[in-house]
Amino acid sequence: MAQSIIITGAGRGVGKATAEAFLEAGWNVGLMGRTGGLLEEVAAGQERALVLPCDVRDESAVAETFGKAASQWGHLDAIFNNAGVSLLSATVDEIEVEAWRNLIDINLTGSFICAKVAFSIMRAQDPQGGRIINNGSVSAYVPRWGSAAYTASKHAITGLTRSISLDGRPFSIACGQIDIGNALTDMAAKMTTGMPQADGEVKVETVMDVAHVASSVVHMASLPLDANVQFMTVMATNMPYIGRG
């Protein structure tokens, strides 16, 4: 029986690339996101793709969506908590509270809701267990200038990952985190034209093919449940991360 995974934010960027990699690897893939049209484009011609329009902020909708997928496949092996947003660079005093709340609601609370629902399914299913992979960021360790909301959300994802890892041990539920730096997606295209640095300069940054992120997530998900990639950093080799500041 083919393994199964639900990927949130699967309609574009990292989520799309990762979904395509899992389909290529023969997995059943639940494509979850708010924009059904984009999900349909990813699913086109793919028998193992299941389109799941859903907002990660809506707990009841997430429970219904995950339940639908698990029932169709007979087992939920993994989820990739990937859905997320960012804000334009700004100092903390310039960030609107409503913008902060919206970002935290998607990046953090949405990941918590999806993990909560997946954990419940994985704990109850037979055979018991599964894997939860959270999309962190190199910002979970070192912030960019003007990124208070995004950085706070990704630091919190690290705490969520560690806590789920401990909670999941009695139930064969593994949890790990992939921290990505400068993968070239539509969201990251601005890095090729110039990004504000900590010293006030604006510089072009190196990027990497998003396919390297996708293959890394496939590797993490393909391990047996008695092995786990707890944290993996995949980044453009020459990006300003090591020594940033």
Side-chain angles (χ1 to χ4, degrees):
M1 182 172 66
Q3 289 186 289
S4 58
I5 185 169
I6 293 174
I7 298 172
T8 67
R12 54 169 63 90
V14 168
K16 177 183 178 182
T18 304
E20 291 172 343
F22 274 98
L23 288 166
E24 179 67 24
W27 286 58
N28 292 321
V29 180
L31 306 170
M32 186 165 150
R34 288 183 288 178
T35 308
L38 293 176
L39 302 177
E40 293 286 356
E41 290 177 10
V42 178
Q46 299 284 351
E47 292 183 1
R48 294 190 180 277
L50 179 62
V51 174
L52 302 170
C54 183
D55 189 329
V56 295
R57 298 170 293 184
D58 186 334
E59 182 180 0
S60 61
V62 170
E64 180 181 353
T65 299
F66 276 40
K68 172 186 175 181
S71 295
Q72 179 162 325
W73 297 328
H75 199 265
L76 178 60
D77 295 292
I79 71 163
F80 180 32
N81 256 332
N82 167 71
V85 296
S86 61
L87 299 179
L88 293 175
S89 299
T91 55
V92 67
D93 62 310
E94 297 173 333
I95 298 172
E96 296 292 335
V97 173
E98 189 57 37
W100 164 282
R101 287 179 172 147
N102 181 66
L103 182 146
I104 294 297
D105 211 20
I106 296 171
N107 291 13
L108 179 58
T109 306
S111 293
F112 162 74
I113 289 171
C114 291
K116 170 184 169 66
V117 172
F119 195 105
S120 178
I121 292 171
M122 293 170 178
R123 180 175 180 173
Q125 65 190 358
D126 184 20
Q128 189 178 62
R131 190 179 306 273
I132 297 167
I133 301 172
N134 293 323
N135 188 344
S137 168
V138 293
S139 291
Y141 306 94
V142 180
R144 286 187 178 276
W145 172 86
S147 66
Y150 185 79
T151 295
S153 76
K154 294 305 183 178
H155 273 67
I157 287 292
T158 298
L160 182 66
T161 298
R162 292 182 185 277
S163 294
I164 294 171
S165 294
L166 290 175
D167 290 350
R169 286 180 177 179
F171 313 109
S172 297
I173 299 172
C175 183
Q177 179 172 317
I178 185 164
D179 297 310
I180 303 164
N182 288 22
L184 185 55
T185 63
D186 290 342
M187 184 181 294
K190 57 189 176 184
M191 295 175 184
T192 64
T193 58
M195 289 290 291
Q197 306 297 310
D199 61 4
E201 292 190 33
V202 175
K203 295 181 179 178
V204 171
E205 297 186 9
T206 60
V207 294
M208 65 175 177
D209 193 324
V210 70
H212 302 313
V213 176
S215 63
S216 297
V217 178
V218 172
H219 168 69
M220 294 171 73
S222 299
L223 291 172
L225 290 177
D226 60 357
N228 188 42
V229 175
Q230 187 66 68
F231 294 98
M232 177 190 288
T233 299
V234 182
M235 55 177 268
T237 302
N238 294 331
M239 67 171 288
Y241 167 59
I242 303 298
R244 182 191 292 183

